[in-house]
């Protein structure tokens, strides 16, 4: 049996006996694949074994679930994974390419090219500590791991802020995560909540077929100056500084602003981006504004972002009273209270470029810590 085949041997499915392994990487999106690539290139001792566990049905991380109108030209930009260019796997020369098709194609080609030991669809339900090792429970058995690289992204943790009356609303409430196509809202009265890029993209599409109202807590931070690498670095530095102090990561858009695109200019000209301050409460038929006026809606679409999907790590009690996790290490991927755990794609590495670099740092630091080199 080759090293890769042996690392694909499932954990013991029925018995509670755990299969011993050195590292479990949880998640096979950009962050997990980058980590796995670097683990495969570090020159680990021959007996060392690691596995990548991914709950999704196919390669692509969260990209496989994104709405069909999200194309490579409407996303911010998907950075190449280390060792293989996007263009080597996807032909982008023939017009618009759907992100939900192209990225899975790229990640699939990547996994095959580097023979990464990915097991899917396998979900990690919980990770807890058992002496020297972690007990990683999955729906396909249990692993006893010496180290964890967690790369589970945010898609599984949509965030809807609590507002009074939300449970009374008789219409439909959904989150960005549920969005597929604007046609589903044709002719309806839609309230879009949220001031980020996704809110604006969905508002732009829905406002062409429905009556939309847009609310945000703060004035949206549009930027009409170019998005330079310095702006990007400043945003990442801000988030890194927060997680190194144990604070929740915070919003990158608050630093970078929302770049004004031709689509945004056109939506503005149509009056689709006339933003209102937040409503006072949600009612059975819509919302009540601060001046007491009621307005009816058929749909409330919460484009209010995502949080890190870390519930399966709850028994490890990584979070402090602020809800943050104190991070350390070269690129702030290492959990300060337990150096055997790295979080990649969390905080400053929650972008395709950040996940790439962080995967390299996490792989090396964890291998060194566990003396696997
Ligand atoms: C609408 C939208 C557009 C975006 N556009 C951009 C962009 O243009 N450029 C950019 O750099 N970033 C963008 N981002 C951010 C982007 O999601 C990240 O940059 C990056 O793709 C996330 O990679 P990841 O590996 O951290 O997470 P994901 O791609 O979410 O991968 C996580 C993987 O972990 C798996 N997983 C989760 N929980 C478990 C579990 N318990 N057990 C097993 N497996 C699990 C999931 O199935 C998934 O395959 C966007 C985000 C959103 C929501």
């Amino acid at each position: 049996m080759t090293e890769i085949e042996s690392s694909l041997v499932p954990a013991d499915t029925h018995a509670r006996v755990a299969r011993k392994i050195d590292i479990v990487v949880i998640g096979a999106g950009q962050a997990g694949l980058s980590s796995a690539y670097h683990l495969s290139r570090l020159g680990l001792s021959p007996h060392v074994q690691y596995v990548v566990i991914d709950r999704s049905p196919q390669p692509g991380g969260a990209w496989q679930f994104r709405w069909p109108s999200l194309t490579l030209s409407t996303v911010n930009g998907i950075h190449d994974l280390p060792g293989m260019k996007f263009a080597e796997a996807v032909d982008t020369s023939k017009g618009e390419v759907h992100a939900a098709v192209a990225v899975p194609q790229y990640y699939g080609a990547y996994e095959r090219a580097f023979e990464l030991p990915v097991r899917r669809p396998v979900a990690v339900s919980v990770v807890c500590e058992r002496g020297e090792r972690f007990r990683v429970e999955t729906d396909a058995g249990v692993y006893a791991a010496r180290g964890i690289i967690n790369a589970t992204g945010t898609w599984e943790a949509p965030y809807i802020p609590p507002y009074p009356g939300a449970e009374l609303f008789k219409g439909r409430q959904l989150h960005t995560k549920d969005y597929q196509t604007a046609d589903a809202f044709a002719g309806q009265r839609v309230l879009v909540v949220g001031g980020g890029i996704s809110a604006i993209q969905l508002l732009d599409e829905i406002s062409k077929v429905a009556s939309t109202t847009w609310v945000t807590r703060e004035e949206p931070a549009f930027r009409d100056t170019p998005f330079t690498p310095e702006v990007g670095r400043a945003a990442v530095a801000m988030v890194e500084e927060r997680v190194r102090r144990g604070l929740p990561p915070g919003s990158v858009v608050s630093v970078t602003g929302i770049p004004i695109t031709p689509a945004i200019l056109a939506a503005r000209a149509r009056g689709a981006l006339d933003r209102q301050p937040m409503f006072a409460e949600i009612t059975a038929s819509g919302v009540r504004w601060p001046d007491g006026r009621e307005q009816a809606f058929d749909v409330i679409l919460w484009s209010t972002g995502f949080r890190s999907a870390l519930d399966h790590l709850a028994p490890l009690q990584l979070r402090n009273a602020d809800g943050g996790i104190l991070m350390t290490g070269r690129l702030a991927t290492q959990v300060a209270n337990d150096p055997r755990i790295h979080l990649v794609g969390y905080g400053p590495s929650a972008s395709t470029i950040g996940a790439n670099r962080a995967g390299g740092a996490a792989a090396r630091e964890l291998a060194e810590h566990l003396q696997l080199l």
Side-chain angles (χ1 to χ4, degrees):
M1 195 183 290
T2 66
E3 193 186 330
I4 299 250
E5 282 166 339
S6 73
S7 66
L8 285 167
V9 171
D12 192 334
T13 312
H14 302 295
R16 305 317 287 162
V17 179
R19 179 182 165 223
K20 285 190 174 170
I21 195 155
D22 294 289
I23 296 174
V24 172
V25 178
I26 311 175
Q30 188 98 4
L33 292 184
S34 161
S35 304
Y37 170 88
H38 286 287
L39 283 173
S40 75
R41 297 270 145 156
L42 276 176
L44 300 174
S45 307
H47 59 275
V48 172
Q49 289 192 346
Y50 72 96
V51 68
V52 185
I53 307 283
D54 191 60
R55 75 183 311 162
S56 295
Q58 56 160 326
W63 290 98
Q64 66 196 280
F65 306 115
R66 302 255 155 92
W67 53 93
S69 60
L70 199 67
T71 64
L72 292 189
S73 60
T74 54
V75 298
N76 289 341
I78 296 160
H79 207 77
D80 290 337
L81 281 159
M84 184 196 274
K85 292 196 184 314
F86 198 90
E88 288 176 52
V90 182
D91 181 3
T92 53
S93 66
K94 298 196 179 84
E96 279 294 32
V97 181
H98 297 284
V101 174
V103 181
Q105 202 178 319
Y106 176 43
Y107 288 3
Y110 190 83
E111 290 176 12
R112 287 190 298 277
F114 298 107
E115 299 182 313
L116 301 178
V118 182
R119 291 199 62 214
R120 73 163 58 81
V122 176
V124 172
S125 51
V126 73
V127 180
C128 39
E129 217 172 339
R130 284 288 182 276
E132 301 273 280
R133 288 179 180 259
F134 295 103
R135 183 177 168 86
V136 181
E137 297 200 8
T138 80
D139 52 12
V142 183
Y143 289 94
R146 295 182 60 208
I148 303 281
I149 297 182
N150 192 83
T152 46
T154 58
W155 190 252
E156 314 281 338
Y159 176 67
I160 296 184
Y163 275 97
E167 72 289 353
L168 303 175
F169 185 60
K170 295 223 165 28
R172 198 150 58 102
Q173 295 192 58
L174 66 166
H175 185 270
T176 307
K177 186 179 178 201
D178 310 308
Y179 180 80
Q180 282 296 307
T181 155
D183 294 344
F185 306 97
Q188 299 192 330
R189 297 159 298 178
V190 183
L191 178 68
V192 178
V193 187
I197 294 173
S198 296
I200 293 166
Q201 281 184 359
L202 302 196
L203 197 54
D204 178 27
E205 293 184 9
I206 298 168
S207 63
K208 291 173 183 157
V209 297
S211 150
T212 53
T213 301
W214 183 30
V215 290
T216 68
R217 266 186 320 165
E218 282 152 28
E219 197 66 55
F222 287 108
R223 67 174 301 128
D224 46 14
T225 48
F227 185 88
T228 59
E230 291 71 41
V231 174
R233 276 197 286 275
V236 170
M238 183 276 289
V239 176
E240 181 170 332
E241 197 260 335
R242 285 180 63 85
V243 300
R244 284 190 190 278
R245 289 196 288 136
L247 295 170
S251 157
V252 171
V253 169
S254 64
V255 179
T256 59
I258 300 163
I260 296 180
T261 60
I264 288 180
L265 289 175
R268 245 189 205 166
R270 284 189 289 112
L273 297 187
D274 292 339
R275 165 262 176 191
Q276 308 291 322
M278 287 306 292
F279 46 77
E281 62 175 342
I282 300 173
T283 64
S285 60
V287 299
R288 193 182 319 281
W289 298 106
D291 64 7
R293 212 168 26 95
E294 247 197 279
Q295 187 172 352
F297 290 100
D298 303 301
V299 178
I300 302 177
L301 173 58
W302 298 93
S303 274
T304 37
F306 295 83
R307 297 288 184 266
S308 299
L310 299 177
D311 284 358
H312 54 290
L313 303 183
L316 303 176
Q317 298 186 317
L318 305 181
R319 289 195 194 276
N320 54 33
D322 295 321
I325 301 172
L326 187 65
M327 303 300 293
T328 187
R330 188 163 67 81
L331 295 179
T333 59
Q334 189 177 44
V335 173
N337 297 337
D338 193 334
R340 299 168 303 163
I341 309 171
H342 282 256
L343 307 182
V344 182
Y346 173 80
S349 61
S351 68
T352 51
I353 185 166
N356 273 1
R357 296 198 195 108
R364 174 159 291 282
E365 284 173 357
L366 185 57
E368 282 171 356
H369 180 78
L370 299 176
Q371 301 183 330
L372 302 178
L373 294 169

